[in-house]
Amino acid sequence: MPTLAQPTWLLLALLAIPLGLVLIRYARSMTHIRRWAAALVRLALLAALALLLADASRVDETDRLAVVVLVDASDSIERFGSGGTDDAGRPIAVREAVRGALRQIEQARGPDDLVGVVAFGGSALAVATPTTADVSDRPLDVSVADGTGIAAAIDFARALLPPDASGRLLLITDGNETSGDAVAAAERAAAGTSPVRIDAIPIEYRVTGETIVQAITPPARAPSDTTVPVRVEIASTNGTTGTLRLERDGTEIDADPSAPGTGRRLSLGPGRHVILLDAPVGSGRLSRFKATFEPDGEGPGRYAGDAQLDNNSAEAFTLSPGMGQVLLVRSSTSSAAQTTQLTRALESSTRAVQIVDATAIPTDVLGLQDYDLIILDNVPADEVAQRAQSALAVHVTEAGAGLVMVGGRASFGAGGWAGTPIEPILPVHLDLGERLVERRTAIVFVLDSSGSMGSGVGGSFRSQQQIANAAAAGAAATLGPTDLVGVVSFSSDARWVVDLAENAEPARTGAAINAIASGGGTNLPPALELARQALAPVEAAVKHVIVLSDGRSNGAEELPDLAKRMADEGINVSAISVGDSADLDTMFQVAELGGGVHYPVTNPNVLPRVFVRAVRLVRDPLIKEGEIPVARRSAASSLIEPADALPPLAGIVLTRFRDDPTVINAIATGEDEPVLAHWNAGLGRVAAYTADHDGWSRPWIAAGTFDRLWARIAQTIARPSGSSGLELNTEIIDGELNATLIATDDAGAAIDGLTVRANIYKPDGSVEPVVLDQIAPGEYAATIPAGEPGNYIAIVRPASNGGPLQPVLGGATGADSLEYRRLASDRPRVERIARAAGGDIRSLESLNAAELFDRTGVPPRRAQTPLRDELLILTLALLLLDVAARRIAWDRFLGDRAATANEADAASVDLSAIRRTARSTSDADRRVTLSDEDAAAVAREARRKRSEARRKQRPAAEPSEAPQAPAPPPAGGHPRPKITEEPNTQPKQKAGSQADRDEPGGLLAAKRRARDRFDS
């Protein structure tokens, strides 16, 4: 049964009527049968085109059934749940009972029925998409995120249902969901165009002998170096004894000053308990608190009244106004002695300085809140985690912190910072534009895409191929637009994925790399040869090939010689070996003989860092050294005083001025290259100092300029302290984050009418924008789901009619092991889920699998199949037929009946044409007048000759000699001769066939009579 998405397009088919009439009326040169055939084809063409534009689809009804089993894979099910007992009365693990249910389902289903399996916890994973294959042996011990998201699992399973089958879900869970609304998801499933029924099997349990630290709640904001009350909530089922310990920033503090030791002794009865502690707030902007309950006992499993320790701790934090620290980040290859000069200069600004390696930068926004200023001191991008880079950018642009990048051989563009989240907020461009053309780098990535690259990576849902593709794409993004980049993929054969060309469109290059799929064998030599042939004629300062492979290549014995040949031609080769199966010895030889570096990688997750490092080491370092004169370029900068001496520097990293009026280019070289520039990036400030802090800056250190400069940087670029009259309170209750902003002016009056927008940064690194609605005078609030464990950070940006106000930051911590904090299953919720989707409650022990495939009450599935492709092909075919029907005389190939009709049409046409010709001549000028009999004879003879020529079984008649041209008319005028019926006794041409000579009404006779009249 067809259906149309946009039926109004069918009106287009009405055009076929006037077009057909015009064709039939005016296409007189075609025969009758061709005119009608062309009209019908035109009608069909317009009908097909109308159906194509109307988005026609075919709708079929099918009773095929797909059953998807949703298995709760959260740890609480495995620890606390029970799958029943066996014949001997022994308990059965839930996972084993589920596998037995799957075996029953396999036996009960029909030959065309489909079965799928989805495992879910905090996220959902398709163990088996709906299939006719046996799924009972699929692994159920899959790793999913912490928590229980039943609603997301239901939506995910519905999406797996094929369009040509009715769907049914079997949900196996304890009902304790930590995120989402499963009942609402079930209602959506039942209310769709193809309703999906959900049956449910509740896993029931009740934990006894358990103690839980449910929450720790310090004040959301408190002044530094003060003591605040901290509330700890503990619940116990049977009661227990133990010690409560409290930590701040990783250091234990005294939870009970009146007693010896640092912990507080507790004797808890059954029920919920609230313990109040006094805790000191730190001197920084952020204080992290952690409460832990240690039950009395001898070890795991033998604690009195506490069966599980996973739920015995909780964390929270307090934010403080005031002055934060300076975070000085150094490269892992730097030593403390190399940062002494810069540290001394910063400490002169009265700010505390903390020095960390690049790998220790906090990777979330909360971890950075204690720092008002972050300085990246000659740090390469590959040493800073991607999440840390993103957190740094947010910390500056939204939390108002300061950032300074200091030069060196591993900084700015030379350090691979192009294409990172930090690049857009720097006050200088890292690429040099056209200036670098003569010094550009040419790199070809040679990537293994064999079948083994499709294997999964532990701890990730991505394959080795996907990780390698993303790493290569990220490395390509760090290259400048004038650098040359190419990508070769190899498996059993080699092919160019991205031809060697300027890196003008890194996004398109990255998309092409990410599209590489795995499959086939491993044959590296042809790929390396492709790269060599492409790089050989290129003019570039650096030519390099980076090879990645996870296996042993065919023709491996050829690789060392090929690498040496490439090195002799000025093309260096580096190699990345991935996994334990890689040919480490050969890859090492390739890199050694190719003049490159070998990177053995056992964990594919570190590939992005390795790729960027490989690119950074082979690129032209963008360094300028020597005596470099410098001068002030802008008097608007407060970082340089007029009295400061500016002797020549010994070196800089080459960058380019950013064409933005808000950038202050304070100092530049004599060749107008940036040395010191700064600007506002979002709510924060960012500075770029392209010299280093030691060797290149020694002339400034000797002149005293260096120390004064960095003291001003610490004061000017760092985030300012101060209070805005805005207070943000955040807390997590029952899996929801509640954020409340209280706005007052200096007099304490409520501020109404604000527009309050906020970004909520979740533990997984994602961000959710929200708007806080006003709920009371000066009070604004919003609520979002917060079922994941970890820190939730809210950065609130209020604005009034007068413009934006100072941002406010707050947050709360979601409890770890949230599923362990519920001591009983939630059977009523499971029943509500089944009831909302019209399903039944079933049991693992007494499952009747045949009922799952009972079609009673299950409406047949209406499968809608678009006819777009078929109609497109039909339209093209009809378009060709339309042209052929009008341009090709196909009717000549039809039988005698059609030929007779054609001759009749032709006769009508010939006679009409002759008559029209005769009528078109005026009486005064008419020289020849043919009678109807003569005109008919002329037409009849023409038809006879055409018919005679078409007959294949008879040889064609020889053409008669053309008649001689008539004599010119007399000079005196144009007398009109009278044509008579008398034959011409002296013909002026040879006679044709016998019929021409004998037939009185033949063509030659008529011609002779006409010629006689002309001659007379």
Side-chain angles (χ1 to χ4, degrees), residues 440-512:
R440 63 184 174 180
T441 299
I443 294 182
V444 174
F445 298 105
V446 178
L447 304 180
D448 190 345
S449 60
S450 60
S452 58
M453 290 290 290
S455 60
V457 175
S460 171
F461 292 118
R462 298 194 298 170
S463 66
Q464 284 191 159
Q465 189 71 65
Q466 292 173 316
I467 294 176
N469 292 349
T478 66
L479 295 169
T482 58
D483 289 330
L484 302 179
V485 63
V487 183
V488 175
S489 169
F490 73 93
S491 53
S492 300
D493 54 9
R495 66 182 183 90
W496 281 100
V497 176
V498 178
D499 293 332
L500 185 64
E502 288 189 346
N503 192 34
E505 297 181 275
R508 180 174 296 181
T509 299

Side-chain angles (χ1 to χ4, degrees), residues 63 189 278 439 458 715 830 938 944:
D63 63 350
D278 289 331
R439 306 176 60 186
Q715 294 170 356
V830 179
V938 172
R944 187 187 63 76

Side-chain angles (χ1 to χ4, degrees), residues 844-868:
L844 278 177
E845 295 180 89
S846 59
L847 177 64
N848 186 348
E851 293 180 353
L852 296 176
F853 299 97
D854 184 5
R855 268 69 169 177
T856 304
V858 178
R861 183 69 179 262
R862 300 185 66 200
Q864 184 170 318
T865 305
L867 299 175
R868 191 178 302 109

